[in-house]
Amino acid sequence: MSQSKLITYGIIVFVALIAILTFSNATFLTIEAGERGVLFQRFGGGLDRENIYNPGFHVIAPWNIMYVYDIREKQIDEDMKVLSANGLNIKVDVTVRVNPDYTNIGDLHEKFGPQYIESLVRPEVRSSVREVIGQFSPEELYSTKRNEVQALIQDNLEESLGGNFIELRATLIRNIELPDKVRTAIETKIEAEQKALKYDYILQQERKEAERKIIEAEAKAESNRILSASLTDKILQDKGIEATLQLANSENAKVIVVGGGGGDGLPLILGSN
């Protein structure tokens, strides 16, 4: 056998041995549904951020490492004590729901790693809650501004987490707890304000009723004035004659003197049986 053939056979055997060693020590893994993988190539350029491994069966070289990320939505609860605008301690319970942007798992891994919840999400939630709560008074937090506070926290987190490959699904303020004395004072104030509004409403209704009565009285006075101005002697005489005719038709006997000496020409009824 020639030397060249020996060299060729040697190369083939060497490659075959390398292949056998490689596949015998290869890592076989399955990426489950709701997961994505990013590969670190120890001898091939480091972290492969461009290729995201989808659910399924994969074979990787033994010297490479596959980092598998759960991309399902996660709920994070934070119970915090923060300062209001006037420096009062407020207890706030907040829940956020997030999941990693699976199209950018490589960037997330390179920047924060698998512990991104603790190294990124929780600190951002705490920072945002402190920043927003610090803009409001205890009374606003307790009564009128709760929805606004929640929306501001949501907006802040969408910006900070979205820029770091995390999708924010929801933000919920579960509870805002004030010190007992402060809460009691606020409730007393709100109750007093409600009573004042009710009293103002009653006064307004009474004022409208008084105005209605004045208008009604003025209308009646004007009606009487017009009626008095229209009642001439001639009209009164006609009315008297109509009444006389009606009495004459009555079954009761009467003595009626027409033009009864009163000077006004009206009938004079003297009596009846």
Side-chain angles (χ1 to χ4, degrees), residues 8 14 22 35-36 42 65 75 107 117-118 164-165 190 214 231 255 257 261 263:
T8 300
F14 177 77
T22 298
E35 296 178 338
R36 297 292 187 275
R42 193 181 303 274
I65 302 173
Q75 178 172 306
D107 296 299
I117 294 293
E118 300 302 325
N164 287 300
F165 322 111
I190 293 174
I214 292 173
L231 291 177
V255 178
V257 180

Side-chain angles (χ1 to χ4, degrees), residues 243-257 268-273:
T244 301
L245 292 174
Q246 291 177 0
L247 287 171
N249 293 326
S250 173
E251 295 180 355
N252 297 323
K254 307 167 187 69
V255 178
I256 301 173
V257 180
L268 178 63
I269 303 173
L270 296 180
S272 61
N273 294 328

Side-chain angles (χ1 to χ4, degrees), residues 189-202:
K189 180 180 178 182
I190 293 174
E191 183 179 356
E193 289 174 348
Q194 293 299 319
K195 287 182 178 180
L197 290 174
K198 181 179 179 181
Y199 182 70
D200 288 342
Y201 174 77
I202 293 173

Side-chain angles (χ1 to χ4, degrees), residues 10-64:
I11 293 174
I12 293 173
V13 171
F14 177 77
V15 171
L17 287 173
I18 293 295
I20 291 171
L21 290 173
T22 298
F23 283 100
S24 64
N25 292 286
T27 300
F28 302 92
L29 62 87
T30 299
I31 297 178
E32 302 291 342
E35 296 178 338
R36 297 292 187 275
V38 59
L39 186 65
F40 178 79
Q41 300 173 333
R42 193 181 303 274
F43 303 113
L47 186 67
D48 183 6
R49 295 183 301 169
E50 301 300 325
N51 296 309
I52 305 302
Y53 289 77
N54 292 319
F57 179 76
H58 300 275
V59 179
I60 62 173
W63 51 80
N64 292 336

Side-chain angles (χ1 to χ4, degrees), residues 157-177:
L157 287 176
E158 282 181 347
E159 182 177 354
S160 60
L161 296 179
N164 287 300
F165 322 111
I166 299 295
E167 296 177 351
L168 178 65
R169 296 300 182 184
T171 301
L172 175 66
I173 296 179
R174 305 193 313 275
N175 184 45
I176 295 179
E177 183 178 331

Side-chain angles (χ1 to χ4, degrees), residues 213-255:
K213 289 180 178 180
I214 292 173
I215 293 172
E216 182 180 5
E218 290 176 346
K220 287 182 178 180
E222 179 65 14
S223 175
N224 291 335
R225 185 189 65 79
I226 295 172
L227 181 61
S228 297
S230 65
L231 291 177
T232 63
D233 292 342
K234 180 63 176 173
I235 292 175
L236 290 173
Q237 290 176 357
D238 290 342
K239 294 294 183 182
I241 293 170
E242 289 178 4
T244 301
L245 292 174
Q246 291 177 0
L247 287 171
N249 293 326
S250 173
E251 295 180 355
N252 297 323
K254 307 167 187 69
V255 178

Side-chain angles (χ1 to χ4, degrees), residues 4 9 31 37 88 148 153 254 262:
S4 60
Y9 287 142
I31 297 178
L88 185 71
E148 182 178 343
I153 294 173
K254 307 167 187 69

